[in-house]
Coordinates of all heavy atoms in Angstrom, one line a residue:
I24 N -9.4 18.1 -15.4 CA -8.6 16.9 -15.2 C -8.6 16.1 -16.5 O -9.6 16.0 -17.3 CB -9.4 16.0 -14.1 CG1 -8.4 14.9 -13.6 CG2 -10.7 15.6 -14.3 CD1 -9.0 14.2 -12.3
S25 N -7.5 15.4 -16.7 CA -7.4 14.6 -17.9 C -6.3 13.6 -17.7 O -5.6 13.5 -16.7 CB -6.8 15.6 -19.1 OG -5.6 16.2 -18.8
R26 N -6.1 12.6 -18.6 CA -5.1 11.6 -18.4 C -4.4 11.4 -19.7 O -4.9 11.6 -20.8 CB -5.8 10.3 -17.9 CG -6.9 9.8 -18.8 CD -7.2 8.3 -18.4 NE -8.3 8.3 -17.4 CZ -8.1 7.6 -16.2 NH1 -7.1 7.0 -15.9 NH2 -9.2 7.6 -15.5
D27 N -3.2 10.9 -19.6 CA -2.4 10.5 -20.7 C -2.0 9.1 -20.4 O -1.2 8.7 -19.6 CB -1.2 11.3 -20.8 CG -0.3 10.9 -22.1 OD1 -0.3 9.8 -22.4 OD2 0.4 11.8 -22.6
N28 N -2.7 8.1 -21.0 CA -2.5 6.6 -20.7 C -1.1 6.3 -21.2 O -0.6 5.2 -20.4 CB -3.7 5.9 -21.4 CG -5.0 6.1 -20.8 OD1 -5.1 6.6 -19.6 ND2 -6.1 5.8 -21.6
D29 N -0.6 6.8 -22.1 CA 0.7 6.3 -22.6 C 1.7 6.7 -21.5 O 2.8 5.8 -21.4 CB 1.1 6.9 -23.9 CG 0.3 6.4 -25.0 OD1 -0.2 5.3 -24.9 OD2 0.2 7.1 -26.1
K30 N 1.6 7.7 -20.7 CA 2.5 8.1 -19.8 C 2.0 7.7 -18.3 O 2.7 7.9 -17.4 CB 2.6 9.7 -19.6 CG 3.3 10.2 -21.0 CD 3.4 11.7 -20.9 CE 4.0 12.3 -22.1 NZ 4.2 13.8 -22.1
N31 N 0.8 7.0 -18.4 CA 0.2 6.6 -17.1 C 0.3 7.7 -16.1 O 0.6 7.6 -14.8 CB 1.1 5.4 -16.5 CG 0.3 4.6 -15.4 OD1 -0.9 4.4 -15.6 ND2 1.0 4.0 -14.5
T32 N -0.3 8.8 -16.5 CA -0.3 10.0 -15.7 C -1.7 10.7 -15.8 O -2.3 10.7 -16.9 CB 0.8 11.0 -16.3 OG1 2.0 10.4 -16.1 CG2 0.8 12.3 -15.5
V33 N -2.1 11.3 -14.7 CA -3.3 12.2 -14.7 C -3.0 13.5 -14.4 O -2.1 13.8 -13.5 CB -4.4 11.6 -13.7 CG1 -5.5 12.5 -13.5 CG2 -4.8 10.2 -14.1
F34 N -3.6 14.5 -15.1 CA -3.2 15.9 -15.0 C -4.4 16.6 -14.4 O -5.5 16.3 -14.5 CB -2.9 16.5 -16.3 CG -1.8 15.8 -17.0 CD1 -2.0 14.9 -18.0 CD2 -0.5 16.2 -16.7 CE1 -1.0 14.4 -18.7 CE2 0.7 15.5 -17.3 CZ 0.3 14.5 -18.3
L35 N -4.1 17.8 -13.7 CA -5.0 18.7 -13.2 C -4.5 20.1 -13.7 O -3.6 20.6 -13.2 CB -5.1 18.7 -11.7 CG -6.3 19.7 -11.2 CD1 -7.6 19.1 -11.7 CD2 -6.2 19.7 -9.7
Q36 N -5.2 20.6 -14.7 CA -5.0 22.0 -15.2 C -5.7 22.9 -14.4 O -7.0 22.8 -14.3 CB -5.3 22.0 -16.8 CG -5.1 23.4 -17.4 CD -3.6 23.8 -17.4 OE1 -2.8 23.0 -17.8 NE2 -3.4 25.1 -17.1
M37 N -5.1 23.9 -13.8 CA -5.7 24.8 -13.0 C -5.6 26.3 -13.5 O -4.4 26.7 -13.7 CB -5.1 24.8 -11.6 CG -5.2 23.3 -10.9 SD -4.7 23.3 -9.3 CE -3.0 23.8 -9.3
N38 N -6.5 26.9 -13.9 CA -6.6 28.3 -14.4 C -7.3 29.2 -13.5 O -8.1 28.8 -12.7 CB -7.2 28.2 -15.9 CG -6.6 27.3 -16.8 OD1 -5.3 27.2 -16.9 ND2 -7.3 26.6 -17.6
S39 N -7.1 30.4 -13.8 CA -7.8 31.4 -13.0 C -7.6 31.3 -11.5 O -8.6 31.3 -10.8 CB -9.2 31.7 -13.4 OG -9.3 31.9 -14.8
L40 N -6.4 31.0 -11.1 CA -6.3 30.5 -9.7 C -6.6 31.7 -8.8 O -6.2 33.0 -9.1 CB -4.9 30.1 -9.5 CG -4.6 28.6 -10.0 CD1 -3.1 28.4 -10.2 CD2 -5.2 27.6 -9.1
K41 N -7.1 31.3 -7.6 CA -7.4 32.2 -6.6 C -6.7 32.0 -5.2 O -6.1 30.8 -5.2 CB -8.9 32.2 -6.2 CG -9.8 32.4 -7.4 CD -11.3 32.1 -7.0 CE -12.2 32.1 -8.2 NZ -13.6 31.9 -7.8
S42 N -6.6 32.9 -4.4 CA -6.0 32.6 -3.1 C -6.6 31.4 -2.4 O -5.9 30.7 -1.6 CB -5.8 33.9 -2.3 OG -7.2 34.3 -1.9
T43 N -7.8 31.4 -2.6 CA -8.5 30.2 -1.9 C -8.2 28.8 -2.4 O -8.5 27.8 -1.9 CB -10.0 30.5 -1.9 OG1 -10.4 30.7 -3.2 CG2 -10.4 31.6 -1.0
D44 N -7.5 28.8 -3.6 CA -7.1 27.5 -4.1 C -5.7 27.0 -3.5 O -5.3 25.9 -3.8 CB -6.9 27.6 -5.7 CG -8.1 27.9 -6.4 OD1 -9.1 27.2 -6.1 OD2 -8.1 28.7 -7.3
S45 N -5.1 27.9 -2.7 CA -3.9 27.4 -2.1 C -4.1 26.3 -1.1 O -5.0 26.3 -0.3 CB -3.3 28.6 -1.2 OG -3.0 29.8 -2.1
A46 N -3.3 25.2 -1.2 CA -3.6 24.0 -0.6 C -2.4 23.0 -0.9 O -1.7 23.3 -2.0 CB -4.9 23.4 -0.8
T47 N -2.4 21.9 -0.2 CA -1.6 20.7 -0.7 C -2.5 19.9 -1.5 O -3.6 19.5 -1.2 CB -1.1 20.0 0.5 OG1 -0.2 20.8 1.2 CG2 -0.3 18.8 -0.1
Y48 N -2.1 19.6 -2.7 CA -3.0 18.7 -3.6 C -2.3 17.4 -3.7 O -1.2 17.2 -3.9 CB -3.0 19.4 -5.1 CG -3.8 20.6 -5.1 CD1 -3.4 21.9 -4.4 CD2 -5.0 20.7 -5.8 CE1 -4.2 23.0 -4.5 CE2 -5.8 21.8 -5.9 CZ -5.5 23.0 -5.3 OH -6.3 24.0 -5.3
S49 N -3.2 16.4 -3.5 CA -2.8 15.0 -3.6 C -3.6 14.2 -4.6 O -4.9 14.4 -4.7 CB -3.0 14.4 -2.2 OG -2.1 15.1 -1.3
C50 N -3.1 13.2 -5.2 CA -3.9 12.4 -6.1 C -4.1 11.1 -5.3 O -3.4 10.6 -4.5 CB -3.3 12.2 -7.4 SG -1.7 11.4 -7.4
H51 N -5.2 10.4 -5.7 CA -5.7 9.2 -5.0 C -6.3 8.2 -6.0 O -7.0 8.7 -7.0 CB -6.8 9.7 -4.0 CG -7.8 8.6 -3.6 ND1 -8.8 8.2 -4.2 CD2 -7.7 7.8 -2.4 CE1 -9.5 7.3 -3.6 NE2 -8.8 7.0 -2.5
A52 N -6.1 6.9 -5.7 CA -6.8 5.9 -6.5 C -6.9 4.8 -5.7 O -6.1 4.4 -4.7 CB -5.8 5.6 -7.7
L53 N -7.9 4.0 -6.0 CA -8.2 2.7 -5.3 C -7.7 1.5 -6.1 O -7.9 1.5 -7.3 CB -9.8 2.4 -5.1 CG -10.5 3.4 -4.2 CD1 -11.9 3.1 -4.1 CD2 -9.9 3.3 -2.8
Y54 N -7.0 0.7 -5.4 CA -6.3 -0.5 -6.2 C -6.1 -1.7 -5.1 O -5.7 -1.4 -4.1 CB -5.0 -0.1 -6.8 CG -4.3 -1.2 -7.5 CD1 -4.8 -1.6 -8.7 CD2 -3.2 -1.7 -7.0 CE1 -4.1 -2.8 -9.4 CE2 -2.4 -2.7 -7.6 CZ -3.0 -3.2 -8.8 OH -2.4 -4.2 -9.5
N55 N -6.4 -2.8 -5.5 CA -6.3 -4.0 -4.6 C -6.9 -3.7 -3.2 O -6.3 -4.0 -2.1 CB -4.8 -4.3 -4.5 CG -4.3 -5.1 -5.6 OD1 -5.2 -5.6 -6.5 ND2 -3.1 -5.4 -5.6
W56 N -8.1 -3.1 -3.2 CA -8.9 -2.9 -2.1 C -8.4 -2.0 -1.1 O -8.7 -2.1 0.2 CB -9.2 -4.3 -1.4 CG -9.8 -5.3 -2.3 CD1 -9.2 -6.5 -3.0 CD2 -11.1 -5.4 -2.9 NE1 -10.0 -7.1 -3.7 CE2 -11.2 -6.4 -3.7 CE3 -12.3 -4.5 -2.7 CZ2 -12.4 -6.8 -4.4 CZ3 -13.5 -4.9 -3.3 CH2 -13.5 -5.9 -4.1
R57 N -7.5 -1.1 -1.6 CA -7.1 -0.1 -0.5 C -6.8 1.2 -1.4 O -6.8 1.1 -2.6 CB -5.7 -0.5 0.1 CG -4.5 -0.7 -0.9 CD -3.2 -0.6 -0.1 NE -2.9 0.8 0.2 CZ -1.8 1.3 0.8 NH1 -0.9 0.3 1.2 NH2 -1.6 2.5 0.9
A58 N -6.8 2.3 -0.6 CA -6.6 3.7 -1.2 C -5.1 3.9 -1.1 O -4.3 3.6 -0.2 CB -7.4 4.6 -0.3
W59 N -4.7 4.5 -2.4 CA -3.3 4.9 -2.5 C -3.3 6.5 -2.7 O -4.0 7.0 -3.5 CB -2.8 4.2 -3.8 CG -2.7 2.6 -3.7 CD1 -3.6 1.8 -4.0 CD2 -1.6 1.9 -3.1 NE1 -3.2 0.5 -3.7 CE2 -1.9 0.6 -3.0 CE3 -0.3 2.3 -2.5 CZ2 -1.2 -0.5 -2.7 CZ3 0.4 1.2 -2.0 CH2 -0.1 -0.1 -2.1
W60 N -2.3 7.0 -2.1 CA -2.2 8.4 -2.1 C -0.7 8.8 -2.5 O 0.3 8.2 -2.1 CB -2.4 9.1 -0.7 CG -3.9 9.0 -0.2 CD1 -4.4 7.9 0.4 CD2 -5.0 9.9 -0.4 NE1 -5.7 8.2 0.6 CE2 -6.0 9.3 0.1 CE3 -5.0 11.1 -1.1 CZ2 -7.2 10.0 0.1 CZ3 -6.2 11.8 -1.1 CH2 -7.3 11.2 -0.5
G61 N -0.6 9.9 -3.2 CA 0.7 10.4 -3.4 C 1.1 11.3 -2.2 O 0.4 11.5 -1.2
Q62 N 2.3 11.9 -2.3 CA 2.9 12.6 -1.0 C 2.3 14.0 -1.1 O 2.4 14.8 -0.1 CB 4.4 12.6 -1.1 CG 5.0 13.6 -2.1 CD 4.9 13.3 -3.5 OE1 4.5 12.2 -3.9 NE2 5.2 14.3 -4.4
G63 N 1.7 14.5 -2.2 CA 1.2 15.8 -2.2 C 2.2 16.8 -2.9 O 3.4 16.7 -2.7
T64 N 1.6 17.8 -3.5 CA 2.4 18.9 -3.9 C 1.6 20.3 -3.5 O 0.3 20.4 -3.6 CB 2.5 18.8 -5.5 OG1 3.3 19.9 -6.0 CG2 1.1 19.0 -6.2
Q65 N 2.5 21.1 -3.1 CA 2.0 22.4 -2.5 C 1.7 23.5 -3.6 O 2.5 23.7 -4.5 CB 3.0 23.0 -1.6 CG 2.5 24.3 -0.9 CD 1.3 24.1 -0.1 OE1 1.1 23.1 0.7 NE2 0.4 25.1 0.0

């Protein structure tokens, strides 16, 4: 996991992927006392 602050983006580099890694991946952050979620990517 890494971030590019200039792009206001966080990355997840996934290598050596396995079938067990199949899932919907979502990012999450806490802000203003609540949890924020993206819509997910398969």
Side-chain angles (χ1 to χ4, degrees):
I24 189 170
S25 62
R26 61 166 92 232
D27 184 331
N28 292 336
D29 289 340
K30 295 180 179 179
N31 203 29
T32 299
V33 171
F34 302 100
L35 185 67
Q36 177 68 43
M37 306 187 297
N38 301 322
S39 302
L40 283 161
K41 307 174 182 179
S42 59
T43 51
D44 295 317
S45 296
T47 299
Y48 285 72
S49 301
C50 59
H51 162 271
L53 292 174
Y54 178 70
N55 277 355
W56 306 105
R57 63 156 286 184
W59 297 90
W60 295 88
Q62 81 288 350
T64 185
Q65 180 66 38

